[in-house]
Amino acid sequence: MTGPAETELLAADAAGIARAAELLRSGALVSFPTETVYGLGGDAADDRAVARIFDAKGRPRFNPLIAHVPDVAAVDRIAELTGRARDLAGAFWPGPLTLVLPLRADAGLSPLVSAGLTTVAVRVPDHPLARRVLEAVGRPVVAPSANPSGRISPTEAAHVVSGLGGRIEAVLDGGPCAVGVESTIVGFNPEPVLLRPGGLPTEAIESALGAPLSRRAEGAEINAPGQLSSHYAPDARVRLDAETARPGERLLGFGAVAGDVTLSESGDLVEAAANLFRMLHALDAAGDAPIAVAPIPETGLGRAINDRLRRAAAPRT
Ligand code: TXA
Ligand code: MG
């Protein structure tokens, strides 16, 4: 399917929000900022809009989408939010947490959203523009990260335009995303299981649960590109755990390892997460020399950073 010729750039004001909501309600695709990354929004009840999201991203149809809603009352209309899932919702929503929950039979979502599964991934984002758009739309909005499938996620409107410009109707420009990595995803089997490390540190979830979070076994039931080994890839090759650059490499630094660009000079993982995709986009745009990356501690947001970097460094499929 061919997309629209031009992508409207909408300002972060009342008129921009109203236009974004009007377009979404009419079945158009609109990228909007969340606290994690920019999402590519579409009406979750509209089969054609949801199908166009898969087309615009080049995303395999078996990879389900996250439904975004403004509050817990709206979650209750589409999913079963009970027990520890409800506790996590109370502790962390709005915020960078996605819960995979049993889908309600009367949810009214397009079956493409959950790719035929009996569960649905749901998130209440913590970004004033996202929340105002969701409130104005009045229906769940599916929003994968607004990048071509397999590429680096966007943390600025310009990233969205360079990846999807001409394929989607509009981008609501809310400036850079504060968190910078995608949401942490937790499923229930029925014990809580970490499906994707992300913007909410697992330590915070474990302390709310009062118990360690189990990890999804590799190759277990859900097999989605976001969880495949090669993903989030720049064009350039990526080498991890580099203390120094080899000849011809560019170095992405962290802490004591100063690079051509540095994720956080003070070794702050929150700052590093916020900078990660922007710096990868910039390095990618600047040339195809290999990128060496300094070691990042496997703690707090470091888990999400390392997860994305390992995928960027994985052999390409
Ligand atoms: O921070 C985020 O989560 C961003 C912003 C825009 O909200 N969205 C995002 O969406 O990262 P996406 O589509 O790039 O990643 C969604 C992930 C995929 O790995 C998908 O496989 C998984 O969620 N997922 C969705 N529905 C699922 C389900 N029912 N069961 C298991 N995994 C699911
Ligand atoms: Mg994604």
Side-chain angles (χ1 to χ4, degrees):
M1 186 181 302
T2 53
E6 252 180 69
T7 297
E8 283 178 49
L9 200 58
L10 306 176
D13 55 18
I17 292 164
R19 177 72 179 147
E22 175 196 17
L23 284 167
L24 286 165
R25 288 182 62 85
S26 74
L29 305 188
V30 179
S31 176
F32 60 91
T34 79
E35 77 279 30
T36 58
V37 300
Y38 275 73
L40 176 56
D43 180 349
D46 181 335
D47 286 321
R48 185 171 171 279
V50 180
R52 280 193 57 216
I53 289 181
F54 287 94
D55 284 345
K57 281 180 61 82
R59 178 176 175 118
R61 297 270 175 124
F62 61 78
N63 189 8
L65 304 173
I66 301 173
H68 293 63
V69 292
D71 51 40
V72 168
V75 175
D76 286 327
R77 289 195 281 276
I78 58 174
E80 309 288 351
L81 182 64
T82 58
R84 273 167 300 179
R86 200 157 196 102
D87 298 339
L88 291 180
F92 299 115
W93 277 345
L97 172 68
T98 293
L99 297 176
V100 176
L101 303 169
L103 175 66
R104 280 180 59 141
D106 60 354
L109 303 183
S110 164
L112 290 170
V113 171
S114 26
L117 300 172
T118 56
T119 54
V120 63
V122 190
R123 180 160 111 77
V124 179
D126 184 17
H127 189 292
L129 287 175
R131 304 192 75 197
R132 287 175 65 189
V133 168
L134 294 172
E135 278 160 9
V137 172
R139 291 196 287 271
V141 170
V142 281
S145 50
N147 51 286
S149 189
R151 306 312 303 247
I152 305 164
S153 292
T155 55
E156 294 177 7
H159 300 157
V160 180
V161 173
S162 80
L164 296 175
R167 303 177 67 83
I168 64 176
E169 275 76 14
V171 182
L172 180 60
D173 186 354
C177 301
V179 175
V181 289
E182 300 87 342
S183 60
T184 301
I185 306 183
V186 173
F188 300 86
N189 73 356
E191 301 310 312
V193 186
L194 179 69
L195 299 177
R196 177 177 75 182
L200 180 65
T202 47
E203 290 90 336
I205 299 172
E206 292 178 330
S207 98
L209 291 170
L213 201 50
S214 64
R215 270 47 174 179
R216 188 180 65 98
E218 203 57 59
E221 74 278 25
I222 306 126
N223 210 350
Q227 296 157 8
L228 295 178
S229 51
S230 173
H231 201 66
Y232 303 99
D235 282 326
R237 301 279 123 183
V238 176
R239 181 172 72 85
L240 303 183
D241 289 320
E243 299 285 351
T244 55
R246 293 174 184 159
E249 280 182 342
R250 296 165 300 161
L251 182 61
L252 180 59
F254 178 81
V257 179
D260 299 283
V261 283
T262 298
L263 291 167
S264 169
E265 286 177 18
S266 64
D268 177 353
L269 291 165
V270 173
E271 181 185 18
N275 283 331
L276 177 68
F277 291 144
R278 180 174 56 79
M279 290 184 174
L280 284 176
H281 275 285
L283 288 169
D284 210 20
D288 53 14
I291 301 167
V293 186
I296 313 285
E298 185 73 10
T299 167
L301 289 186
R303 286 182 222 282
I305 296 170
N306 283 321
D307 172 81
R308 306 308 186 267
L309 286 170
R310 278 192 290 268
R311 294 170 202 278
R316 308 294 159 81
T317 44

